[in-house]
């Protein structure tokens, strides 16, 4: 099981890095909002909700849950980067943007996870 989680985690981390880099390179030129991490965390919350719902209803096995839910989603979403970017915005005196980032991340992330779970 640990190998499945590790494989899923390596794929999730790779996806996060590639997608985050792509989005950040496109969006940071326009606005300092950390949209790359935001999109990754929202989509990861939704996907984890879908996977959790499937696992809770026995539509996927424990090994699929371990690979996708624990491994992939665990490495794809990133709370540490979210925290770091929030502090960076505050240190740059972008307090309103930091508050917007935190509030929308938590609320929309929760709604996305719930939507995925319901689907």
């Amino acid at each position: 099981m640990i190998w499945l989680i590790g494989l899923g985690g390596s794929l999730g981390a790779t996806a996060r890095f590639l997608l985050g880099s792509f989005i950040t390179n496109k969006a940071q030129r326009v606005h300092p909002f950390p949209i790359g991490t935001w999109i990754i965390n929202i989509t990861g919350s939704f996907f984890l909700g879908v996977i959790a719902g499937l696992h809770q209803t026995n539509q996927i096995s424990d090994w699929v849950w371990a690979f996708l839910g624990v491994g992939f989603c665990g490495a794809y979403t990133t709370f540490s980067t979210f925290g770091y970017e929030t502090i960076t915005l505050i240190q740059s005196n972008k307090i309103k943007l930091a508050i917007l980032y935190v509030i929308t991340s938590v609320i929309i992330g929760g709604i996305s996870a719930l939507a995925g779970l319901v689907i």
Side-chain angles (χ1 to χ4, degrees), residues 12 53-54 63 67 73 104 110 113 119:
L54 293 172
W63 74 266
F67 177 73
C73 288
T104 60
I119 289 175

Side-chain angles (χ1 to χ4, degrees), residues 7 11 21 23 27 29 31 35-36 45 47 49 58 73 75 80 94 97 105 108 112-113:
L7 178 60
L11 294 173
S21 296
I23 294 169
R29 296 178 203 154
H31 201 277
I35 192 72
S45 294
F47 185 59
N58 296 316
C73 288
S80 57
K94 296 179 174 120
L97 197 57
S105 292
I108 296 174
S112 295

Side-chain angles (χ1 to χ4, degrees), residues 48-72:
L48 184 59
V50 171
I51 298 302
L54 293 172
H55 187 251
Q56 289 174 356
T57 57
N58 296 316
Q59 295 179 56
I60 61 171
S61 65
D62 288 343
W63 74 266
V64 175
W65 165 252
F67 177 73
L68 291 176
V70 178
F72 184 87

Side-chain angles (χ1 to χ4, degrees), residues 2 5-6 12 14-15 19 21 28 32 34 37 42 50 52-53 67 72 75-77 81 85 89 109 113 115:
I2 194 78
I5 293 169
T14 300
L19 182 60
S21 296
Q28 287 291 325
T37 303
I42 299 304
V50 171
F67 177 73
F72 184 87
Y76 177 71
T77 58
T81 302
E85 289 172 343
L89 288 169

